[in-house]
Amino acid sequence: MTKSKTNRIQSIDLLRGVAMIIMALDHCRDFLHYGVSIGQNPLDFSTTTPFLFMTRWITHFCAPVFVFLSGTSIFLYSNKGKTKKEVAFFLF
C-alpha cells in the first residue's frame, strides 16, 4: 500500500467505498433480479432466497456507516487548522 501525500486515513476511505458498493448493488437489485414481481419484499422469508435476504438485510447498516464515516472525515479535516469558512467551502 502506498503512502498518501494527503495524510488521509485510508481505512476510512476503504470502508466508505465498500459501503457505497454494497448500496449500489442493492439499488441495482430491482433491475437485475429477474422473476420478481414489483413490490415484492426481499425481506419476506416466504418469497425470497436466503442470499437475497442477506444482501438486502446488510444494506440497512450501510447508510449509517457511510454517514458516520463521512462525518468522521469532515471532523478530521476540520481539525487540521481549517476555519469554518474553509471547511464549508470544501464541503460545498
Side-chain angles (χ1 to χ4, degrees):
M1 197 175 260
T2 61
K3 183 168 176 136
S4 174
K5 291 184 180 183
T6 60
N7 294 328
R8 294 182 63 91
I9 300 173
Q10 293 180 350
S11 58
I12 292 175
D13 293 336
L14 179 68
L15 187 55
R16 194 170 41 195
V18 168
M20 287 187 339
I21 289 170
I22 292 172
M23 288 189 292
L25 290 173
D26 181 58
H27 287 296
C28 294
R29 173 190 48 81
D30 287 335
F31 300 108
L32 300 176
H33 192 210
Y34 297 111
V36 176
S37 62
I38 295 175
Q40 179 184 353
N41 185 2
L43 296 177
D44 183 9
F45 281 119
S46 64
T47 61
T48 191
T49 63
F51 178 73
L52 183 60
F53 173 83
M54 290 305 294
T55 58
R56 182 65 182 130
W57 180 77
I58 198 159
T59 58
H60 288 86
F61 299 103
C62 289
V65 166
F66 181 80
V67 171
F68 174 75
L69 292 175
S70 296
T72 302
S73 296
I74 294 166
F75 173 76
L76 293 172
Y77 180 78
S78 67
N79 278 346
K80 291 183 178 181
K82 305 289 183 184
T83 64
K84 286 186 179 183
K85 186 176 182 179
E86 289 174 326
V87 173
F89 183 74
F90 174 75
L91 293 175
F92 177 70

